[in-house]
Amino acid sequence: MALVFFAKAPVPGEVKTRLCPPLTHDEAATLHGSLVLDALERSRPGGGGKTKSAKPGPDRWLACSPTMNHPFFRIMEERQGVRLMEQHGEDLGARMAQAFSSLFAQGYQQVVLVGTDLPVLPATHCTQAFSLLNTHDLVLGPSTDGGYYLIGLRRPVPDLFVGIPWSTEHVFEKTQALATHLGLQMSLLPQVRDLDTADDLLAVIEDTGLLQSKNCPPSLTNRTASVLRMLHERLTAWPEESE
């Protein structure tokens, strides 16, 4: 089993640009880096709960852009124990197809790809994806913006990534229709909000009850909760500033 996180290096001006403004590029990069760390920490054995599991988890990979030689990724490799791979391809679909092809060629029988823009993703969703792949060809985790935050396969299906209008609200719908056309037996995970826009940020803050207590909500890490609290004033002031 291979669990792959798709991530960009937290370079100001290159990540979370849909948040700028109201955020500065430095603030957006700080948030992005925190979310990548969240994803990796949740996926460590015992990272999603209070007790460590005796059962070994999947091999964890970090699919890196623009290059796995970026210092951020090398630090993640050393401190988080993940394996690194390059992202290759002209668009997201090509990059995901290449990642699946590469890992299946290495002998993995189940591969799950997941994004890192997910501050409240339960670790159990990834575990459930692998379980579902025992009886299904494809697992998808739909996101609230019409895309998907997770995709799992038990064999390469390169055609699944062709002709999809990436970065639109039709990604999940078109992928689901294409999977049916290809005869894939599919299962779905619960819908999750990913974090791309200022509205998403405000929704996460509201849904987690972050501002109602000085304590960190159980669905957030202390690090990301601190970042969100720091950004809240700018987020709430933005509509008035832009008038």
Side-chain angles (χ1 to χ4, degrees):
M1 297 186 297
L3 177 60
V4 188
F5 297 95
F6 261 54
K8 293 181 178 180
V11 178
E14 299 293 330
V15 294
K16 291 284 168 241
T17 54
R18 292 171 64 188
L19 286 168
C20 305
L23 304 190
T24 67
H25 288 301
D26 284 342
E27 289 169 338
T30 296
L31 176 62
H32 176 77
S34 185
L35 295 179
V36 174
L37 277 167
D38 285 354
L40 298 180
E41 289 173 355
R42 278 194 301 260
S43 68
R44 298 187 77 152
K50 296 181 179 180
T51 59
K52 292 187 177 182
S53 171
K55 186 177 180 180
D59 291 340
R60 299 182 307 141
W61 290 79
L62 189 57
C64 309
S65 176
T67 170
M68 67 184 191
N69 291 321
H70 189 283
F72 176 79
F73 294 131
R74 289 302 181 183
I75 292 171
M76 294 302 99
E77 179 183 35
E78 178 181 353
R79 296 184 181 178
Q80 297 295 327
V82 292
R83 307 179 189 191
L84 304 184
M85 64 187 301
E86 300 274 6
Q87 292 187 32
H88 293 292
E90 294 186 358
D91 62 21
L92 177 60
R95 295 193 294 271
M96 289 194 292
Q98 189 277 334
F100 275 117
S101 177
S102 174
L103 290 169
F104 282 123
Q106 294 184 46
Y108 290 104
Q109 297 181 4
Q110 295 181 346
V111 179
V112 169
L113 273 58
V114 63
T116 54
D117 300 330
L118 303 154
V120 295
L121 178 69
T124 52
H125 281 32
C126 293
T127 304
Q128 185 180 358
F130 283 110
S131 179
L132 289 168
L133 285 175
N134 291 324
T135 53
H136 297 80
D137 303 309
L138 167 68
V139 176
L140 288 174
S143 54
T144 55
D145 62 1
Y148 56 80
Y149 62 88
L150 179 151
I151 179 169
L153 291 167
R154 57 181 180 180
R155 61 179 173 85
V157 189
D159 289 345
L160 189 62
F161 305 96
V162 177
I164 302 297
W166 304 106
S167 300
T168 73
E169 68 273 20
H170 304 296
V171 170
F172 174 73
E173 171 193 355
K174 296 293 185 181
T175 300
Q176 194 174 26
L178 186 54
T180 300
H181 175 74
L182 294 171
L184 300 177
Q185 190 172 9
M186 177 174 50
S187 184
L188 302 181
L189 293 171
Q191 188 180 71
V192 172
R193 179 186 292 276
D194 54 13
L195 202 162
D196 291 316
T197 67
D199 286 342
D200 293 331
L201 269 176
L202 289 171
V204 167
I205 290 170
E206 176 67 25
D207 293 346
T208 58
L210 177 63
L211 303 181
Q212 277 66 60
S213 172
K214 292 183 179 180
N215 296 324
C216 177
S219 55
L220 291 174
T221 65
N222 288 324
R223 177 186 52 252
T224 295
S226 295
V227 173
L228 292 179
R229 285 194 173 102
M230 179 184 68
L231 298 176
H232 180 256
E233 183 176 350
R234 183 186 296 276
L235 290 168
T236 53
W238 169 245
E240 297 176 1
E241 295 174 355
S242 62
E243 289 179 356

